[in-house]
Amino acid sequence: MSAALEIQGLKKTYGNGFTALKGIDLSVTQGDFYALLGANGAGKSTTIGIVSSLVNKTSGKVRIFDHDLDTQREQAKAQIGLVPQEFNFNVFEPVREILINQAGYYGIPRPEANTRAESLLRQLGLWEKRKNQARELSGGMKRRLMIARALIHRPRLLILDEPTAGVDIEIRRSMWEFLTELNQSGVTIILTTHYLEEAESLCRNIGIIDKGEVIENTSMKKLLNRLDSEHYVFDLEQEVQTLPPTDAHCSIRLRDPATIDVEFHKGHYSLNQVFDFMNRNNLKISSMRNRTNRLEQLFMDLVEGNKA
Amino acid sequence: MNAQQKWVAYYTIVVKEVLRFARIWVQTILPPVITTALYFIIFGNLIGPQIGDMDGHSYINFIMPGLIMMTVITNSYANVVSSFYGSKFQGNIAEMLVSPLPNWIILAGFITGGVARGMAVGLAVTIVSMLFSDWQLQNILVTISMGLLTSILFSLAGLVNGVYAKSFDDISIIPTFVLTPLTYLGGVFYSITMLSPFWQKLSLFNPILYMVNGFRNGILGVSDMPLWLSYLVALVFITALGSFSLGLLNRGVGIRS
């Protein structure tokens, strides 16, 4: 099975001499939900720009479902749907017209475009706004309109550049559900985001770009397994003043009388042992959560490591 | 993309472009009609009788083809430059760039939009001119073909301006400082035979002179230029600007980083 996206030796130097990409290699398998992460200015948007033909590359090869972007441009571009970071539709056009025009650029006749537009607008909760000008939509609706526009030609590869930036948590979660269903239907998804929790919960594989180089390209599971410690916060039903001592591989301390911080080394201690400790000492737990986002911690470690 | 898909894509751009200027007809169609009507009243009815006949026609009839051509030129140009730069400014040019649309279809779509507005305004002004003058059309084929060629040429010029424009100022500089002077000096209000030999020769470098005279030839049957030369100049400029515009789009000048 060919890769959904295959990038080899991709370089980009802008006119002002700034080298955004220093020859990156990247491969995304078909059906994957792939996170492309990096700090601001790391080269994510340049990579996406080149893949979607909005940025001219300096050198290197890009293949989309085995179609070379240089020699089979039309076939390669027909496979991609792009949701860019910035709102970039004509704000004076009605919502449905934006979708129908986009379908037209892919050669989809108007009756078929109408049917597809209705289906997408309904799925994304925009049907009631179909006659409104795009400028009249809320931020979350504009984001969903961008997703609908990117899907109107039924692409096999959907690229989302920070799709949930600035939207409230309710809409963000409904977008996650929508994207998960889309991925389950066979669409390969590449996601860039600054919400690392989002990448961790949605994506199976991950690439990290820093200073124009890919510094990590692996599965989310393997990457997260590299963390040698876990941090949890437990809320207690009843307040306590002191805690008994515990194993050397586990640190349990009181943050306040009703909250306990737990940190343990993976491989030496487990969450089951933490629960045993709680039970032995009659500590009733009302809730628990990760103290820090695991991917965020790894991401910071990798980027800091690259600086050194 | 197969031929049918390309046709759908082209048709989509054209419909979008026509709807764009049709929705705001008060800003796009009406002003040139009013302006030209004022030209007819002032230059034709008030000042014209003092000037007398020109090339065997009343002054109002003589300037009428030039005034129509002036609106065709400025509106074709304005439509494409504002639409293309507006797409760049809002970023929605990316909708076309990410799609498998060949660049020549993007070019053809924008140019057809410009021609549609140029011809729509030209037709409106022609109808208004009938209220003020009593001309009789000499050659409909020449009239329409010269109008179309001129509209295509200045739509292309508008696209080149739109490609290079980096601000809204940039889309008004060329029309104000180049297009308008060339149009006014392109024989709209006078025959170049009235000029001294030096200015006559200098006028020959103005391409608009050939368009205006070709169009006047179609409407009134008189011209300072041979008709074949008007066609030749228009076709040469269209070929040159068309190739240049396509080259700009292919290289992504002004639209791709």
Side-chain angles (χ1 to χ4, degrees):
Chain A
M1 192 165 62
S2 63
L5 175 66
E6 188 81 49
I7 292 174
Q8 291 173 335
L10 192 63
K11 285 185 186 172
K12 173 64 186 177
T13 302
Y14 285 99
N16 60 6
F18 173 69
T19 300
L21 296 176
K22 297 171 182 168
I24 65 165
D25 298 320
L26 208 61
S27 180
V28 178
T29 54
Q30 284 190 36
D32 200 356
F33 205 137
Y34 187 91
L36 187 61
L37 305 183
N40 287 331
K44 305 185 300 290
S45 294
T46 299
T47 306
I48 288 172
I50 292 171
V51 171
S52 53
S53 302
L54 295 176
V55 175
N56 290 329
K57 63 186 165 63
T58 304
S59 63
K61 282 276 170 200
V62 176
R63 294 182 75 78
I64 298 149
F65 289 99
D66 229 11
H67 298 295
D68 190 295
L69 196 55
D70 293 324
T71 57
Q72 299 166 289
R73 201 169 184 82
E74 282 184 22
Q75 294 94 321
K77 286 166 84 175
Q79 315 295 327
I80 300 176
L82 174 70
V83 180
Q85 204 170 327
E86 308 287 339
F87 299 129
N88 70 339
F89 37 71
N90 183 340
V91 293
F92 299 107
E93 276 180 4
V95 167
R96 185 163 61 176
E97 209 171 295
I98 289 174
L99 298 195
I100 289 168
N101 284 342
Q102 187 68 21
Y105 302 150
Y106 287 81
I108 299 163
R110 203 153 273 244
E112 171 67 15
N114 269 317
T115 309
R116 291 190 190 188
E118 180 176 345
S119 167
L120 280 167
L121 290 174
R122 286 188 189 281
Q123 280 181 70
L124 287 157
L126 292 169
W127 180 245
E128 301 304 318
K129 300 284 181 184
R130 64 191 180 280
K131 291 177 184 168
N132 289 56
Q133 288 186 346
R135 66 189 171 132
E136 294 164 357
L137 301 182
S138 67
M141 286 176 174
K142 284 176 182 165
R143 288 270 167 221
R144 282 178 278 158
L145 174 59
M146 302 250 283
I147 293 175
R149 187 184 61 178
L151 292 173
I152 193 77
H153 61 288
R154 296 183 180 153
R156 295 166 72 195
L157 172 62
L158 180 66
I159 302 174
L160 302 119
D161 198 358
E162 297 184 31
T164 55
V167 301
D168 66 44
I169 188 67
E170 193 186 346
I171 293 172
R172 192 183 307 165
R173 296 219 179 252
S174 72
M175 281 166 75
W176 289 3
E177 278 174 31
F178 179 79
L179 294 174
T180 304
E181 282 171 21
L182 197 66
N183 179 243
Q184 282 165 355
S185 74
V187 177
T188 308
I189 298 179
I190 298 176
L191 171 81
T192 80
T193 180
H194 284 298
Y195 301 114
L196 299 188
E197 175 205 358
E198 183 169 271
E200 187 180 337
S201 60
L202 290 176
C203 302
R204 285 189 288 280
N205 290 298
I206 181 168
I208 296 178
I209 299 186
D210 189 44
K211 296 176 199 155
E213 292 172 321
V214 174
I215 57 171
E216 198 55 71
N217 187 17
T218 183
S219 76
M220 188 69 77
K221 199 173 174 183
K222 279 184 187 166
L223 188 68
L224 292 174
N225 277 340
R226 284 195 213 161
L227 272 177
D228 59 356
S229 65
E230 294 274 7
H231 298 238
Y232 291 96
V233 177
F234 292 85
D235 295 314
L236 302 177
E237 282 182 4
Q238 291 171 337
E239 293 188 356
V240 294
Q241 298 307 317
T242 56
L243 287 172
T246 182
D247 192 282
H249 294 295
C250 181
S251 147
I252 299 185
R253 62 179 187 80
L254 272 175
R255 179 186 283 191
D256 59 55
T259 317
I260 297 174
D261 273 340
V262 176
E263 182 177 0
F264 60 85
H265 294 283
K266 286 202 299 194
H268 298 284
Y269 211 79
S270 71
L271 206 47
N272 285 341
Q273 287 170 289
V274 175
F275 287 124
D276 283 345
F277 172 84
M278 299 286 186
N279 286 335
R280 275 200 314 274
N281 294 287
N282 206 25
L283 298 167
K284 303 286 181 201
I285 303 161
S286 62
S287 64
M288 66 172 280
R289 60 189 180 276
N290 267 104
R291 198 177 77 185
T292 55
N293 180 276
R294 300 179 299 165
L295 184 58
E296 191 171 301
Q297 190 178 329
L298 267 169
F299 176 77
M300 291 309 297
D301 291 347
L302 284 164
V303 172
E304 288 299 320
N306 198 42
K307 270 184 195 165
Chain B
M1 291 179 101
N2 59 34
Q4 194 202 345
Q5 288 171 321
K6 283 175 182 159
W7 167 252
V8 169
Y10 167 74
Y11 176 79
T12 301
I13 303 175
V14 173
V15 168
K16 183 172 80 84
E17 287 299 298
V18 170
L19 284 177
R20 195 189 70 86
F21 74 76
R23 274 194 194 114
I24 47 169
W25 64 275
V26 176
Q27 294 171 46
T28 53
I29 310 283
L30 198 56
V33 173
I34 292 172
T35 307
T36 314
L38 289 171
Y39 274 118
F40 282 125
I41 292 168
I42 296 164
F43 288 96
N45 285 5
L46 300 179
I47 300 173
Q50 313 292 322
I51 296 171
D53 285 358
M54 199 166 285
D55 280 354
H57 291 271
S58 65
Y59 188 64
I60 192 167
N61 279 0
F62 180 83
I63 64 170
M64 184 269 295
L67 290 175
I68 295 170
M69 208 48 132
M70 195 160 79
T71 57
V72 169
I73 288 171
T74 51
N75 282 278
S76 302
Y77 190 97
N79 195 71
V80 181
V81 72
S82 60
S83 177
F84 196 85
Y85 179 70
S87 295
K88 273 172 53 176
F89 182 77
Q90 292 200 78
N92 58 297
I93 189 80
E95 291 173 348
M96 293 182 197
L97 300 181
V98 299
S99 77
L101 263 177
N103 287 325
W104 66 266
I105 291 184
I106 297 178
L107 179 68
F110 273 102
I111 298 312
T112 308
V115 170
R117 176 164 155 193
M119 299 310 278
V121 176
L123 184 66
V125 170
T126 305
I127 292 167
V128 168
S129 75
M130 291 171 176
L131 303 172
F132 298 92
S133 55
D134 55 354
W135 52 275
Q136 285 192 331
L137 188 63
Q138 297 299 308
N139 189 326
I140 190 166
L141 279 180
V142 171
T143 305
I144 292 175
S145 60
M146 278 312 299
L148 272 175
L149 289 173
T150 306
S151 187
I152 292 170
L153 172 55
F154 286 93
S155 295
L156 284 166
L159 189 118
V160 173
N161 190 170
V163 165
Y164 283 111
K166 289 182 176 153
S167 69
F168 281 101
D169 287 343
D170 292 344
I171 66 171
S172 62
I173 287 172
I174 301 287
T176 306
F177 295 104
V178 180
L179 209 54
T180 305
L182 282 181
T183 309
Y184 278 82
L185 298 171
V188 172
F189 296 101
Y190 55 85
S191 164
I192 59 162
T193 54
M194 296 167 67
L195 302 174
S196 66
F198 171 78
W199 289 106
Q200 274 192 42
K201 282 206 168 54
L202 197 65
S203 296
L204 297 179
F205 290 98
N206 181 357
I208 292 176
L209 180 78
Y210 300 87
M211 320 284 150
V212 168
N213 275 282
F215 193 67
R216 185 176 284 137
N217 195 326
I219 291 185
L220 302 177
V222 296
S223 172
D224 292 338
M225 301 291 156
L227 188 58
W228 65 267
L229 192 56
S230 293
Y231 278 115
L232 183 68
V233 169
L235 289 170
V236 166
F237 271 91
I238 286 172
T239 307
L241 268 181
S243 311
F244 184 62
S245 305
L246 193 56
L248 291 175
L249 293 181
N250 285 340
R251 283 183 284 130
V253 176
I255 49 176
R256 289 193 175 97
S257 309

